Amino acid sequence: LECRAEGDPLPSTRCARQGGTRHGATTRPRGGRVVSRADAGSYVCRATNRHGVATRKVVVSVECECGGGEGGG
């Protein structure tokens, strides 16, 4: 999950799962993660600069867990 924000100065951003992180995720060659139903949950994205902090909560649902490989077969 990517967190983006704009501002002056440009804020630093962080996105984290509420209640901890998931370990052992598989990474695809392009840098994206292979997701599973275990990744479903609430995430908080936070942007911070010298003017303050902005947060957004995002709920992620995973409806289908594919069998692996690039084709997802």
Side-chain angles (χ1 to χ4, degrees):
L1 194 59
E2 184 179 356
C3 182
R4 295 184 195 176
E6 295 180 7
D8 186 16
L10 189 66
S12 62
T13 58
R14 179 182 170 161
C15 190
R17 184 176 183 160
Q18 284 187 315
T21 59
R22 179 175 176 259
H23 298 287
T26 303
T27 302
R28 292 185 182 179
R30 290 188 313 258
R33 280 193 25 201
V34 175
V35 298
S36 71
R37 288 185 178 116
D39 292 304
S42 297
Y43 291 78
V44 176
C45 294
R46 178 182 183 104
T48 307
N49 70 11
R50 69 178 181 217
H51 299 294
V53 177
T55 59
R56 291 289 184 265
K57 181 178 175 182
V58 180
V59 177
V60 173
S61 298
V62 180
E63 295 183 10
C64 176
E65 187 173 336
C66 297
E70 281 297 310

